[in-house]
């Protein structure tokens, strides 16, 4: 069997599904007065409190300037607070406020409902296999990136 048409179809499907997942999540959070970037930041900060701005920028794949604007708005809305990092005075640690924790819990419940709908009727064995396949593809991409950087 030839790889090319199947690989192209797979990557096209992966791109479409990824876009549709983001769109579905975005529609749900915006219907409740949040923005997609803000919801993602809340979700990440709920998983790991007291991240530095640099760590959060990497997690969210945002440039520093974009993240700073996002955090400024989140701070104005009482969702986060910035504290000095005791180990590096130049760095700021970002933590959720009580209101931010409530909003993060809400985002988490929305995400759980969306996941239930997305994976309805899908066999767990198939899902585990798909995760393994995507991890292998990610490793191949990482190898490709390493060759491009060092080569």
């Amino acid at each position: 069997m030839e790889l090319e048409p199947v690989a192209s179809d797979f990557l096209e499907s992966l791109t479409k599904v990824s876009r549709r997942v983001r769109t579905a999540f975005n529609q749900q959070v915006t219907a409740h007065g949040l923005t997609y970037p803000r919801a993602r930041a809340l979700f990440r900060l709920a998983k790991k409190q007291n991240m530095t701005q640099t760590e959060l920028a990497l997690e969210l794949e945002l440039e520093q300037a974009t993240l700073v604007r996002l955090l400024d708005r989140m701070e104005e809305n009482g969702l986060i607070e910035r504290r000095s990092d005791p180990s590096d005075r130049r760095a700021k640690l970002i933590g959720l406020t009580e209101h931010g924790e409530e909003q993060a819990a809400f985002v988490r419940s929305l995400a759980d409902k969306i996941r239930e709908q997305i994976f309805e009727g899908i066999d767990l064995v198939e899902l585990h296999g798909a995760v393994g396949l995507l991890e292998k593809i990610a490793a191949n991409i990482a190898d490709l990136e390493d060759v491009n950087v060092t080569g």
Side-chain angles (χ1 to χ4, degrees), residues 10 19 30-31 50 59 63 66 68-69 73 76 88 96-97 100 113 120 126 128 139-140 146 150:
F10 177 83
R19 204 175 302 127
T30 55
N50 295 318
E59 287 270 331
E63 291 185 22
T66 303
V68 168
R69 287 191 301 274
R73 286 190 301 279
E76 289 166 11
D88 182 355
L96 293 174
T97 62
K113 288 177 190 169
E120 186 175 323
E126 287 180 309
H128 282 291
N140 289 346
D146 289 344
T150 60

Side-chain angles (χ1 to χ4, degrees), residues 14-27:
L14 182 63
T15 301
K16 285 179 182 176
V17 166
S18 177
R19 204 175 302 127
R20 291 184 77 183
V21 167
R22 179 182 171 148
T23 299
F25 184 71
N26 189 40
Q27 287 173 341

Side-chain angles (χ1 to χ4, degrees), residues 16-79:
K16 285 179 182 176
V17 166
S18 177
R19 204 175 302 127
R20 291 184 77 183
V21 167
R22 179 182 171 148
T23 299
F25 184 71
N26 189 40
Q27 287 173 341
Q28 291 293 316
V29 296
T30 55
H32 292 90
L34 288 167
T35 65
Y36 180 74
R38 191 175 299 170
R40 286 187 66 220
L42 286 168
F43 196 76
R44 290 288 178 222
L45 289 167
K47 284 186 171 189
K48 183 182 177 195
Q49 282 273 6
N50 295 318
M51 266 195 252
T52 65
Q53 288 184 185
T54 302
E55 289 173 321
L56 186 57
L58 287 171
E59 287 270 331
L60 298 175
E61 297 178 346
L62 294 174
E63 291 185 22
Q64 281 286 346
T66 303
L67 179 69
V68 168
R69 287 191 301 274
L70 173 65
L71 294 176
D72 287 346
R73 286 190 301 279
M74 290 178 73
E75 194 169 35
E76 289 166 11
N77 290 312
L79 297 169

Side-chain angles (χ1 to χ4, degrees), residues 126-141:
E126 287 180 309
L127 193 54
H128 282 291
V131 169
L133 175 63
L134 290 172
E135 287 173 348
K136 176 64 178 154
I137 291 169
N140 289 346
I141 291 168

